[in-house]
Amino acid sequence: MTHEQQEVMSFVTEWYGVATGARRLPDDAYFRFLALWVAFNGLYSLTFPEAKSEAAQIRSFGNWDKAKKAHAEALGTNNTLYRGAIDILGEKGVFNYLTKNVERITDIQDLQGVVRLVYRVRCNLFHGRKVPSNLRDHKLVEASHIIVSELMRRLIEPPCIEAGLPLS
């Protein structure tokens, strides 16, 4: 096995240990992010059905006026948790294993760039490149959770409240 294959296999065995209960997570940040992503996926799939791929739906979300407004509001309200999460993603960027390049946020005001990095964290996680035992991976997953959670809160809570739908 190559070094890269060995690394991926160690990720596979770590996640398998989590799934079977043989290994405990320090907290549930990964599972909160996974559950949140399912909700987020539903939102952008419903909103942008004409987009031909998940990546295209993410790009559409990043250009959506309502999402850009939610992002600007979150940045403008002295939301240090949201801003800090973006700073964590932007600090070193996120590696794209397909292109072998580090992707970076060039402008925190640009939602497209922010959600692109959140999507990269999601892709790395879903394709076996993020593990709970790695502190940096944990920080990236937690930061991604904070960003998506804040955007979702601003986008879905007001319509749900107006329609009388339960939020939980």
Side-chain angles (χ1 to χ4, degrees), residues 61-72 111 151 155:
F61 181 87
N63 287 321
W64 187 27
D65 287 339
K66 286 183 180 182
K68 289 195 290 191
K69 181 181 178 204
H71 175 66
L111 178 61
L151 292 171
L155 290 167

Side-chain angles (χ1 to χ4, degrees), residues 120-159:
R120 181 61 44 218
V121 170
R122 173 261 177 225
C123 289
N124 290 351
L125 174 61
F126 279 47
H127 298 285
R129 298 298 186 148
K130 297 272 176 252
V131 291
S133 62
N134 182 295
L135 181 59
R136 178 153 160 37
D137 287 352
H138 189 271
K139 286 173 64 176
L140 291 172
V141 168
E142 184 65 35
S144 296
H145 178 270
I146 290 166
I147 293 165
V148 174
S149 182
E150 182 63 22
L151 292 171
M152 291 285 290
R153 184 183 70 76
R154 290 173 180 277
L155 290 167
I156 70 168
E157 284 189 12

Side-chain angles (χ1 to χ4, degrees), residues 15 18-19 25 27-37 141 145:
W15 277 111
V18 169
L25 290 174
D27 67 28
D28 64 342
Y30 281 78
F31 292 107
R32 287 184 292 118
F33 181 63
L34 292 171
L36 182 61
W37 194 269
V141 168
H145 178 270

Side-chain angles (χ1 to χ4, degrees), residues 56-130:
Q57 289 174 327
I58 294 294
R59 283 190 299 276
S60 295
F61 181 87
N63 287 321
W64 187 27
D65 287 339
K66 286 183 180 182
K68 289 195 290 191
K69 181 181 178 204
H71 175 66
E73 288 172 355
L75 285 173
T77 58
N78 293 326
N79 187 332
T80 56
L81 194 60
Y82 186 76
R83 173 62 191 261
I86 293 171
D87 289 344
I88 287 169
L89 289 183
E91 186 176 40
K92 294 181 183 176
V94 180
F95 193 72
N96 181 329
Y97 287 91
L98 294 175
T99 65
K100 307 290 188 219
N101 292 311
V102 175
E103 296 179 1
R104 300 188 185 282
I105 295 172
T106 56
D107 177 6
I108 65 163
Q109 303 292 329
D110 176 28
L111 178 61
Q112 176 93 27
V114 173
V115 294
R116 182 178 39 80
L117 250 62
V118 170
Y119 180 62
R120 181 61 44 218
V121 170
R122 173 261 177 225
C123 289
N124 290 351
L125 174 61
F126 279 47
H127 298 285
R129 298 298 186 148
K130 297 272 176 252

